[in-house]
Amino acid sequence: MSAQPKQIGKSFAFIFWGLLLALFYWFFEDKLVEQVNPNRQPESYNMGTDSVLVLKRNRYGHYVTTGFINGQKVTFMLDTGATNVAVPSTVADRIGLQGGAAMRVNTANGIATAYQTRISALRIGAIELYDVKASIVPGMKGQQILLGMSVLKQVEFSQKGDELTLKLTR
């Protein structure tokens, strides 16, 4: 008896399981991304002169949302411990932010060098801010931008349960 049919059967089984795993990954990828950023399209509205944004906490206890810097799509993580908006240098390069004067900053990982910059336009849902102080941080890992107090001091925010409401009054 020939071993060729057995070999063909093993090849088809391997291909079947590979395709099944790829299908599962494709199917569940959105669910995995949603666990990190449940606010890819944040709930937002205008109420008179107020712009209101409602964010859901992710499974890790953080508020992560999609927004825009100078028209470029980015991911923010709210951080009340950050003085300014902190941008990883890889993201700054991608969206065209230019670094200015060097400065020393205290980070969770110790003291680091960062570069001052300004964001012309920052938008999350209905909240839009202009000429925002920011820092480009070369050693910062990942693609998330820390949304620090240079933004958060301009809005009212309140938390109830797993939701954080930001309100900008004009």
Side-chain angles (χ1 to χ4, degrees), residues 88-89 109 112-113 136-141:
S89 59
N109 295 324
T113 299
I136 298 172
V137 186
M140 193 171 162
K141 305 273 189 250

Side-chain angles (χ1 to χ4, degrees), residues 106-138:
N106 289 316
T107 71
N109 295 324
I111 297 174
T113 299
Y115 300 90
Q116 296 176 6
T117 192
R118 304 289 290 193
I119 296 171
S120 299
L122 184 147
R123 180 171 62 85
I124 305 169
I127 293 179
E128 294 184 55
L129 299 169
Y130 302 96
D131 195 30
V132 176
K133 286 175 75 172
S135 305
I136 298 172
V137 186

